[in-house]
C-alpha cells in the first residue's frame, strides 16, 4: 500500500503521539492507583488500630474498676460482719426452723423449672439432677427449699424474696444484708455475688439463689467448677486487698453458659472469715466491645467489629453478626462450627465461650504482639484485622478490631475505576487533539512541496520556462525555490541563445 508523504507524516505523527500519551497515561494512572491504594489502606488500618487501642483501654479500665470494687467491698465493715454472722446462722438454720425437708418440692424445682430451661439452652440435653441432689448437705436442702423451691417468685427472680418470716437468725440477717447486696449487684451489673465460708466451702449467701446456693465448693456438686476454683484460689490469698480472676468456662447452675469469677478474701484482724466472689458481668464487657450494639456510631459501617478471644481461642465477647443477623450468622458458621455448638449458640443467642477463633491475629496477640493482618475471619470472610494482647487481671486475651475488606476498600475500587476512566478519556482526547495538530502541521509542511510539484508540472506540461516558484520566507523551501528559479533563468538564457 502506497501512501503519499502527507499521509505518511500524519500517520507517523499520530502514532508517535498516541504511543507517548498511552505510555504516559499508563504510568501516571498506575502511580495514582498505587498511591491511592497505599493511602486508603493506611487510613483503614489506622482507624482499626485506633478503635482497637480505645477498646483495650476501656476493657482494662473496666476490669480494674471491678477489681477495686471487690477490694473495697471485701474490706467494708458491714460485709465483714455479714460473713461472720451468716456463717453461724447458716449452720444453725435447720435447728432453728424445726421444719422438715420437703424433698418433693426441691425435686420439683430442679426437674420442672431449672431443668426445663437447662434443656432449652443445651440442645434438649438434661442436667444430671439425681447426681446434683445426692451431693448436697442437709443445710443446703433446708435453705434451697425455703429460699428457692418454696420461693413463689419465678425462675430468674428468686432474688426478689427478702424474708420468709420464720424467725431464724439466718432470715433476720438476710433481711438486713440482702437488700443492699442486691442493690449493689443491680447497680454495677454483676451476674451474682457470693459469700463463701472458709472451712467447709459452703456458699452461705448469694444474691440470685441459683442451684449453687448453700452448697459446698469443696464436697458439693460444683466442686470442680470455676466458682470452686475461685474459692480455692481465694483461700490462697494472704491480704484483704488481694484478688484473683478465674477465666470463662461452662458453669452448670447458669445453664452451662460461660461464666467467670473474681474473688477476694474477707479478713478481720488477720482472720479469714470468708471469700467474697463476684460472677463477672458479661453484659458490661459486651457493652464496651459492641458500643452497646451501635457499631455504625463509631464508624464501623456494615461489617466492622471489635471482640475479645481468650487463651483457649474462644470468644469472650459477643459477635456483631450474631446480634444483628442471627440466621445469617448461623448460616455463615455452618462450615466453621459443629452442629451441637451451633445449636447451643442458637438457643442461648450467645457465642461467648462457644465460638472458636483461631488465626494469625489471635495467635500473635496471645503471644504478646500487636499488628495488622489480612486474613479470613471466623465466618470465612476476608477482613483487615488489627490485633493486640490485653492483660486482664493475670490472663492474656486477644483483642481484635476488624472490618470486611470488600467494605473497607469499596471506595478504593471506585477510585481506581474513576482513575482508569479519567485516564482513558484524557488519553483519547489528547490523541484526537494531537491528530488534529498533526494534520495541520503536515499541511503547513507539505504545502511548499505541493507548490513546487505544481510549478514543475506546469513547466513540463506547458514547456514554459518563464514560470517561477515563490520564494517567500527564509527556510529550506525558499532556498530551494531560489535555486530552482536560478536554474530556470539559466535554461531560459541558454535556450534564447
Amino acid at each position: 500500500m502506497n501512501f503519499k508523504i502527507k499521509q505518511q507524516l500524519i500517520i507517523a505523527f499520530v502514532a508517535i503521539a498516541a504511543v507517548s500519551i498511552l505510555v504516559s497515561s499508563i504510568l501516571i494512572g498506575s502511580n495514582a492507583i498505587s498511591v491511592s491504594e497505599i493511602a486508603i489502606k493506611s487510613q483503614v488500618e489506622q482507624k482499626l488500630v485506633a478503635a482497637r487501642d480505645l477498646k483495650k483501654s476501656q476493657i482494662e479500665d473496666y476490669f480494674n474498676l471491678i477489681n477495686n470494687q471487690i477490694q473495697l467491698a471485701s474490706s467494708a465493715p458491714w460485709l465483714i460482719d455479714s460473713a461472720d454472722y451468716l456463717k453461724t446462722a447458716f449452720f444453725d438454720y435447720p435447728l432453728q426452723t424445726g421444719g422438715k425437708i420437703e424433698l418433693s418440692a426441691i425435686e420439683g424445682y430442679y426437674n420442672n423449672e431449672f431443668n426445663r430451661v437447662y434443656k432449652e439452652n443445651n440442645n434438649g440435653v438434661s442436667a444430671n439432677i439425681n447426681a446434683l441432689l445426692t451431693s448436697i448437705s442437709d443445710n443446703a436442702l433446708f435453705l434451697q427449699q425455703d429460699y428457692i423451691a418454696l420461693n413463689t417468685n419465678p425462675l430468674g427472680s428468686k432474688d426478689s424474696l427478702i424474708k420468709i418470716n420464720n424467725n431464724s437468725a439466718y432470715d433476720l440477717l438476710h433481711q438486713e444484708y440482702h437488700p443492699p447486696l442486691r442493690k449493689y449487684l443491680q447497680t454495677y451489673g454483676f451476674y451474682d455475688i457470693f459469700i463463701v465460708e472458709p472451712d467447709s466451702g459452703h456458699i452461705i449467701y448469694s444474691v440470685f439463689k441459683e442451684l449453687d446456693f448453700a452448697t459446698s465448693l469443696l464436697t458439693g456438686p460444683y466442686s470442680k467448677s470455676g466458682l470452686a476454683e475461685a474459692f480455692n484460689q481465694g483461700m490462697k490469698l494472704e491480704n484483704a486487698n488481694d484478688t484473683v480472676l478465674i477465666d470463662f468456662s461452662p458453669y452448670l447452675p447458669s445453664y452451662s453458659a460461660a461464666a467467670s469469677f473474681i474473688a477476694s478474701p474477707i479478713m478481720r484482724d488477720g482472720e479469714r472469715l470468708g471469700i467474697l466472689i463476684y460472677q463477672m458481668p458479661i453484659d458490661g464487657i459486651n457493652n464496651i466491645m459492641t458500643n452497646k450494639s451501635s457499631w455504625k456510631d463509631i464508624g464501623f459501617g456494615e461489617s466492622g467489629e471489635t471482640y475479645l478471644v481468650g487463651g483457649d481461642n474462644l470468644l469472650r465477647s459477643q459477635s456483631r453478626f450474631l446480634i444483628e443477623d442471627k440466621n445469617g450468622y448461623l448460616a455463615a458458621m455452618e462450615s466453621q462450627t459443629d452442629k451441637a455448638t451451633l445449636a447451643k449458640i442458637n438457643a442461648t443467642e450467645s457465642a461467648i465461650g462457644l465460638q472458636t477463633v483461631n488465626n494469625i491475629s489471635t495467635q500473635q496477640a496471645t503471644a504478646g504482639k500487636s499488628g495488622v493482618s489480612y486474613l479470613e475471619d471466623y465466618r470465612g470472610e476476608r477482613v483487615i484485622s488489627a490485633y493486640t494482647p490485653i492483660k486482664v487481671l493475670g490472663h492474656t486475651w486477644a483483642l481484635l478490631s476488624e472490618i470486611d475488606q470488600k467494605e473497607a476498600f469499596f471506595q478504593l475500587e471506585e477510585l481506581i475505576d474513576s482513575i482508569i476512566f479519567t485516564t482513558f478519556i484524557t488519553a483519547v482526547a489528547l490523541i484526537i487533539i494531537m491528530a488534529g495538530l498533526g494534520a495541520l502541521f503536515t499541511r503547513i509542511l507539505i504545502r511548499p512541496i505541493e507548490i513546487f510539484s505544481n510549478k514543475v508540472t506546469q513547466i513540463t506540461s506547458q514547456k514554459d520556462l518563464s514560470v517561477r516558484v515563490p520564494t517567500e520566507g527564509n527556510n529550506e523551501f525558499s532556498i530551494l525555490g531560489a535555486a530552482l528559479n536560478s536554474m530556470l533563468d539559466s535554461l531560459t538564457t541558454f535556450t534564447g541563445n
Side-chain angles (χ1 to χ4, degrees), residues 248 258 307-310 312-319 329 351-357 378:
F248 285 89
Y307 59 95
L308 296 166
V309 181
D312 55 2
N313 296 319
L314 296 176
L315 283 184
R316 295 294 187 267
S317 64
Q318 194 67 289
S319 163
Y329 165 87
I352 297 172
L354 296 172
Q355 177 185 304
T356 299
V357 182
Y378 54 84

Side-chain angles (χ1 to χ4, degrees), residues 327-345:
N327 292 333
Y329 165 87
L330 294 173
M333 296 300 296
E334 283 183 354
S335 60
Q336 312 289 332
T337 308
D338 63 88
K339 291 182 178 179
T341 301
L342 271 184
K344 186 163 186 176
I345 292 174

Side-chain angles (χ1 to χ4, degrees), residues 13 17 86 140 188 193 238 244 288 312 343 434 443 468 478:
F13 191 88
L86 282 168
Y188 296 107
I193 296 175
E238 297 296 332
V244 62
I288 293 173
D312 55 2
M434 294 307 292
R443 180 179 179 80
R468 293 295 180 267
S478 62

Side-chain angles (χ1 to χ4, degrees), residues 170-211:
Y170 188 91
D171 191 49
L172 294 173
L173 290 169
H174 193 271
Q175 295 175 44
E176 180 180 355
Y177 293 116
H178 181 65
L181 281 166
R182 181 172 180 246
K183 184 177 180 180
Y184 180 84
L185 177 144
Q186 293 171 340
T187 300
Y188 296 107
F190 297 110
Y191 186 94
D192 207 348
I193 296 175
F194 309 90
I195 297 176
V196 187
E197 67 87 24
D199 299 322
S200 61
H202 278 90
I203 300 172
I204 58 177
Y205 172 82
S206 77
V207 173
F208 264 104
K209 307 297 188 297
E210 293 188 329
L211 297 193

Side-chain angles (χ1 to χ4, degrees), residues 264-301:
S264 181
I266 303 171
M267 310 283 285
R268 179 195 284 155
D269 299 329
E271 179 187 0
R272 191 187 309 270
L273 299 178
I275 305 295
L276 177 64
I277 303 176
Y278 294 168
Q279 188 165 342
M280 294 294 287
I282 293 176
D283 289 343
I285 298 170
N286 278 331
N287 286 338
I288 293 173
M289 297 307 298
T290 68
N291 197 47
K292 296 183 178 179
S293 299
S294 300
W295 294 272
K296 293 181 182 179
D297 292 347
I298 55 173
F300 268 105

